[in-house]
Amino acid sequence: MSVKAQVRVVVASVVCLVLLAAVCDGASITSMCIRNCGQCKEMYGDYFHGQACAESCIMTQGMSIPDCNNPSTFNRFLKRFI
């Protein structure tokens, strides 16, 4: 195998690994968003918009992952019953 062919194989392998890492990272963010919003839904029940929480978290690619023990991270998803 020539040097050019070896370089192409190495470059293709690196590109595949980078793409695989990006896909896995996206999947882990999605699962983390769903898991955390689900946990808050369990804790706060009908007072919490779980679906809106998960959708927002996924849309922001995990920049707004809620922490159920920190109200400033999820207060916009709380419902008020009057």
Side-chain angles (χ1 to χ4, degrees):
M1 192 187 286
S2 71
V3 173
K4 283 186 178 181
Q6 289 175 343
V7 169
R8 286 182 185 155
V9 169
V10 170
V11 169
S13 298
V14 169
V15 168
C16 287
L17 288 174
V18 168
L19 290 174
L20 182 61
V23 168
C24 290
D25 188 41
S28 66
I29 289 172
T30 300
S31 64
M32 190 180 320
C33 289
I34 292 170
R35 191 175 323 116
N36 284 19
C37 291
Q39 181 181 7
C40 292
K41 179 67 175 175
E42 284 182 25
M43 289 175 69
Y44 299 105
D46 289 337
Y47 294 101
F48 189 77
H49 285 287
Q51 183 174 351
C53 171
E55 288 173 356
S56 172
C57 182
I58 291 168
M59 293 261 254
T60 61
Q61 297 178 352
M63 296 301 287
S64 65
I65 295 175
D67 176 0
C68 302
N69 297 316
N70 183 355
S72 67
T73 64
F74 67 85
N75 61 1
R76 65 185 178 273
F77 304 114
L78 290 175
K79 301 178 193 177
R80 293 184 185 194
F81 290 105
I82 299 174

